[in-house]
Amino acid sequence: MLDHRASPGFTPEEAKALGYSTEASGEKLYEAKTNHCSHCGTVVIMNPHRTRERSYCQACNKYICDNCGIEQRLPDYVHKTYTQQLEEGHSFLVNLKE
């Protein structure tokens, strides 16, 4: 949600440059569907006007962000969800303290 009711908001060019649709420009409230990438945890705004296919992970059975979709196609890619990465980092820090 972007609340620009009390400010001038984005110009259509600024909104587009930031990844929003031009409907997010101006002095208004803008709401859109979002999705969390299961690989990196980033929030992805689901653009209803998108024509490209979204990246999808068969192992997670979830949509992922474009950056993780590119990384997933690399030959040395190892599948790890965001939760797995957090747990590995936590275990590493716990072992470091011991």
Side-chain angles (χ1 to χ4, degrees), residues 25-58:
S25 61
E27 298 176 23
K28 58 184 171 186
L29 178 67
Y30 174 74
E31 294 182 85
K33 283 186 174 181
T34 59
N35 188 23
H36 285 267
C37 175
S38 65
H39 289 191
C40 68
T42 191
V43 177
V44 179
I45 298 169
M46 305 301 277
N47 182 355
H49 305 295
R50 181 177 173 146
T51 55
R52 285 182 291 129
E53 185 178 327
R54 296 195 184 277
S55 298
Y56 185 79
C57 178
Q58 295 289 336

Side-chain angles (χ1 to χ4, degrees):
M1 174 178 20
L2 293 173
D3 189 355
H4 287 284
R5 294 177 288 190
S7 71
F10 298 130
T11 64
E13 295 80 21
E14 291 171 330
K16 195 165 191 163
L18 292 168
Y20 299 108
S21 71
T22 54
E23 297 166 3
S25 61
E27 298 176 23
K28 58 184 171 186
L29 178 67
Y30 174 74
E31 294 182 85
K33 283 186 174 181
T34 59
N35 188 23
H36 285 267
C37 175
S38 65
H39 289 191
C40 68
T42 191
V43 177
V44 179
I45 298 169
M46 305 301 277
N47 182 355
H49 305 295
R50 181 177 173 146
T51 55
R52 285 182 291 129
E53 185 178 327
R54 296 195 184 277
S55 298
Y56 185 79
C57 178
Q58 295 289 336
C60 295
N61 195 27
K62 294 183 181 180
Y63 286 107
I64 56 177
C65 70
D66 290 339
N67 292 335
C68 289
I70 292 168
E71 190 176 317
Q72 186 182 36
R73 291 178 180 88
L74 297 176
D76 59 343
Y77 176 74
V78 176
H79 180 267
K80 289 185 183 175
T81 65
Y82 182 63
T83 306
Q84 289 172 322
Q85 294 176 50
L86 287 176
E87 288 172 356
E88 286 179 5
H90 179 71
S91 296
F92 175 77
L93 288 175
V94 168
N95 292 334
L96 214 125
K97 291 181 181 179
E98 294 175 351

